[in-house]
Amino acid sequence: QVQLVESGGGLVQAGGSLRLSCASSTRTFSVYIMTWFRQAPGKEREFVAAVSGSGSTTYYADSVKGRFTLSRDNAKITVYLQMNSLKPEDTAVYYCAAGALLTRDADRYDYWGQGTQVTVSS
């Protein structure tokens, strides 16, 4: 069982920055694709960004490309989502997920954190 705990959410003004963290409990952390999804009220969960097990490859949704940076520290069994130039439309609950496949399909991920709220005011 892989436990994931997100932190770092909060309230920020448009144009501001936040860094989300997702800490894991598993010693096999580096084998997992780590991905961030988000879900706004009344909307489906959507893919934000993913990173390969080694951290050498990252993928981003077009809506966050150039503003968000995903990285991982396998020694600290943690992934980080640096979010800059935040917009009100980035407001959502952000979830990290771990899985064996790099996919944008949330149903393919085996382990999820509890989520952290990000609110961007205009």
Side-chain angles (χ1 to χ4, degrees):
Q1 187 73 10
V2 176
Q3 292 185 327
L4 303 171
V5 178
E6 301 100 333
S7 61
L11 173 64
V12 64
Q13 288 188 334
S17 298
L18 283 174
R19 189 176 82 153
L20 304 184
S21 299
C22 174
S24 178
S25 61
T26 179
R27 295 179 181 179
T28 58
F29 180 71
S30 64
V31 308
Y32 290 99
I33 304 297
M34 295 301 298
T35 301
W36 285 91
F37 290 85
R38 67 186 181 186
Q39 188 166 21
K43 295 187 177 181
E44 293 187 354
R45 193 167 296 190
E46 65 170 349
F47 168 84
V48 175
V51 61
S52 62
S54 66
S56 61
T57 305
T58 51
Y59 299 89
Y60 298 93
D62 288 343
S63 59
V64 307
K65 200 172 294 183
R67 300 188 297 123
F68 290 12
T69 302
L70 178 58
S71 61
R72 66 190 297 162
D73 185 335
N74 287 338
K76 295 182 178 180
I77 52 175
T78 301
V79 292
Y80 304 98
L81 184 67
Q82 178 66 43
M83 306 187 296
N84 298 328
S85 303
L86 283 162
K87 305 175 181 180
E89 51 264 43
D90 294 319
T91 295
V93 178
Y94 283 70
Y95 299 89
C96 69
L101 297 175
L102 203 158
T103 173
R104 299 179 181 224
D105 183 355
D107 291 338
R108 303 298 298 271
Y109 286 84
D110 303 310
Y111 305 104
W112 291 84
Q114 82 288 352
T116 185
Q117 176 71 47
V118 171
T119 303
V120 184
S121 63
S122 58

